[in-house]
Amino acid sequence: MGDKRISSRVSCLGQSGIQAVTIKAGQLRQMGIDLLNFAEGEPDFSTPQHIKDSAYIAMQEDFTKYTAVEGIEELRSAICEKLKYENNVYYNPSQIIVSSGAKQALFNAFMALCDRGDQVLLPVPCFSSYMDQIKITGATPVLVPTDKANKYRITANDLRKHFSPKVKAVVLNSPCNPSGAVIERDHLEEIAEFVVEQNIWVITDEVYEKILHDNNEYISIASLGEAIKKRTITINGLSKTYAMTGWRLGYAAGPEDIIAAMAKIQTHATSNANSIAQKAAIAALSGPQEPANEMAAAYSRRMEHVYEGLNSLPGVSCLRPAGGFYAFACIQDLYGARFGRETLTNETEIVTFLLTEANIAVVPGEAFYYPGYFRFCFATSMDNISKGLDRMDRAFRKLEF
Ligand code: PLP
């Protein structure tokens, strides 16, 4: 036996930038510091009551045993109805798998598609788990930078520039965590054409589809025609829309053979998603949507406040997020600023300065493979947002340029 304790599959994974900030923030809190956390991407709302009630009933009725690995038929049918009426995509239950969060659905998708030597096009900035999940499969993520001038929206041209015959798939995330970019119909059609023409796959992560600001419209790429639908795995989950992060409920829709392959992986990893959460998911998807709509409207009001507040800070600029609950702020103009004897030279130092001087936590852009920025999550109260902006303003005004 060799003396290598940890597999190379795991050794190649980085620590998540969000985790690093969360650990530091936890340490400050333990020291009794009143820290405002804008780092974690978690809704501050409670799960709507009718969803909780349905889980309670499920428990009372002893719905507490293993279910089919791919999820109960009733839930998979409810997901098909949702996809039909809201997204204009037609699936049957054998094309759906229910997983423990969108994260597991994504992991299953990468595992089902990718082999060592494959490449996956990954538009950045992006949710950090894509990178590591792709690496675990042995495939190589190819970063495709998006451009501020195009509001961080990925285009077919960007993808084309990074294409090689080794590319197996492209990841889309609209609205995007962290940039808030929403890909519009014309761009999406061009991306669909590119995917079909190259005979590759698209993994589309739609977890923020219902959190849209201004009059932005959501379009699922799979709805653009049969050819692209055949090459798409649609990922979604209940965490963000229904404030259900802890319930761990997500799902994927796609061609039957791919879904069956994903089920094979899930069988050996976790079996079915939590049975009680599956019942709750039926209530979430098929029940009244007002609570979800009200939460989305609250995020839009907060966005307005954050967008104006961040842009009024010295050295900070951010685009108006089109969707999601994050603002992605450029802080490169703060590079070189001095605080006492220290000079701030990159975004991680600025984020650390904000932690210690303003007692607020945000995530450095590096965590999303996009240095020069930080991500500010506004899934928190207006009151906290005002306090946070105020603290940042006071801290940045202490800097000398
Ligand atoms: N996809 C994106 C883009 C996310 O931002 C997140 C969570 O932050 C997830 C997936 C994970 O969602 P879930 O809680 O359903 O696993």
Side-chain angles (χ1 to χ4, degrees):
M1 195 175 97
D3 58 1
K4 198 165 144 254
R5 288 166 68 86
I6 308 292
S7 70
S8 26
R9 187 178 305 107
V10 175
S11 307
C12 75
L13 305 180
Q15 188 197 26
S16 127
I18 302 179
Q19 244 177 313
V21 175
T22 310
I23 291 167
K24 255 192 205 151
Q27 287 163 349
L28 289 176
R29 275 217 173 103
Q30 271 195 340
M31 289 160 62
I33 288 169
D34 160 36
L35 192 99
L36 293 172
N37 193 345
F38 303 103
E40 273 165 319
E42 171 146 46
D44 57 321
F45 295 107
S46 301
T47 302
Q49 190 59 45
H50 72 281
I51 300 175
K52 292 195 269 197
D53 290 344
S54 70
Y56 184 71
I57 293 167
M59 274 187 280
Q60 294 300 318
E61 291 179 348
D62 262 341
F63 196 74
T64 53
K65 304 286 197 285
Y66 289 131
T67 73
V69 168
E70 63 276 18
I72 53 176
E73 169 93 22
E74 195 187 352
L75 173 55
R76 285 182 292 127
S77 296
I79 292 168
C80 290
E81 290 293 291
K82 179 253 179 265
L83 289 168
K84 180 161 113 189
Y85 290 109
E86 293 184 357
N87 305 86
N88 197 26
V89 207
Y90 292 70
Y91 286 107
N92 60 56
S94 62
Q95 295 172 306
I96 308 288
I97 178 168
V98 176
S99 301
S100 301
K103 228 181 215 185
Q104 189 186 23
L106 283 162
F107 187 66
N108 288 339
F110 290 125
M111 288 294 276
L113 285 185
C114 297
D115 275 315
R116 186 165 297 283
D118 288 340
Q119 294 182 344
V120 179
L121 296 177
L122 190 54
V124 287
C126 73
F127 174 54
S128 55
S129 290
Y130 302 141
M131 178 77 145
D132 290 317
Q133 290 195 350
I134 294 165
K135 281 188 188 164
I136 292 172
T137 71
T140 306
V142 177
L143 301 188
V144 185
T146 58
D147 197 1
K148 187 175 179 189
N150 192 34
K151 300 184 186 166
Y152 311 109
R153 292 169 303 185
I154 192 73
T155 66
N157 265 349
D158 299 328
L159 297 172
R160 235 175 231 117
K161 275 186 219 151
H162 291 80
F163 183 76
S164 83
K166 289 186 175 167
V167 169
K168 182 82 187 267
V170 49
V171 178
L172 295 183
N173 173 219
S174 167
C176 169
N177 169 11
S179 71
V182 170
I183 310 175
E184 285 150 20
R185 183 178 287 275
D186 49 349
H187 280 165
L188 212 53
E189 280 171 352
E190 284 167 17
I191 293 169
E193 248 171 59
F194 162 76
V195 167
V196 172
E197 166 195 302
Q198 298 300 343
N199 212 17
I200 57 175
W201 288 88
V202 57
I203 297 174
T204 168
D205 178 348
E206 310 198 340
V207 296
Y208 295 102
E209 63 164 344
K210 294 218 183 170
I211 305 172
L212 293 170
H213 313 304
D214 305 320
N215 292 319
N216 284 291
E217 185 196 6
Y218 192 74
I219 298 156
S220 291
I221 193 165
S223 71
L224 297 179
E226 264 314 299
I228 185 65
K229 186 182 157 212
K230 281 188 190 150
R231 310 222 52 94
T232 300
I233 305 177
T234 300
I235 307 287
N236 211 328
L238 276 64
S239 289
K240 314 292 176 176
T241 303
Y242 299 100
M244 290 177 70
T245 44
W247 298 71
R248 309 310 301 128
L249 213 295
Y251 57 89
E256 206 167 311
D257 59 331
I258 300 290
I259 296 297
M262 290 167 68
K264 268 191 194 169
I265 296 154
Q266 186 165 302
T267 304
H268 301 298
T270 56
S271 300
N272 58 277
N274 179 297
S275 61
I276 299 155
Q278 289 191 56
K279 285 283 188 182
I282 297 170
L285 295 174
S286 313
Q289 297 301 303
E290 285 78 12
N293 296 341
E294 280 162 23
M295 290 189 267
Y299 295 132
S300 290
R301 289 192 293 276
R302 295 165 180 186
M303 179 280 287
E304 200 77 56
H305 189 29
V306 169
Y307 169 67
E308 277 174 22
L310 287 177
N311 281 309
S312 67
L313 297 175
V316 179
S317 66
C318 101
L319 290 185
R320 191 177 172 85
F325 43 56
Y326 309 100
F328 200 49
C330 180
I331 48 173
Q332 283 157 11
D333 286 351
L334 292 171
Y335 288 9
R338 287 181 312 281
F339 178 62
R341 276 183 301 180
E342 253 181 86
T343 303
L344 303 176
T345 59
N346 60 47
E347 96 268 0
T348 307
E349 288 173 7
I350 295 169
V351 166
T352 307
F353 164 80
L354 285 173
L355 261 179
T356 51
E357 283 307 310
N359 298 143
I360 73 149
V362 291
V363 184
E366 179 200 28
F368 312 101
Y369 309 99
Y370 214 84
Y373 288 70
F374 68 62
R375 185 191 78 177
F376 183 105
C377 174
F378 50 83
T380 184
S381 70
M382 280 287 199
D383 195 38
N384 274 350
I385 291 169
S386 297
K387 273 194 216 153
L389 290 168
D390 210 46
R391 285 188 192 183
M392 268 201 274
D393 188 53
R394 271 184 278 138
F396 284 150
R397 287 189 196 283
K398 290 185 200 162
L399 296 175
E400 286 174 60
F401 292 88

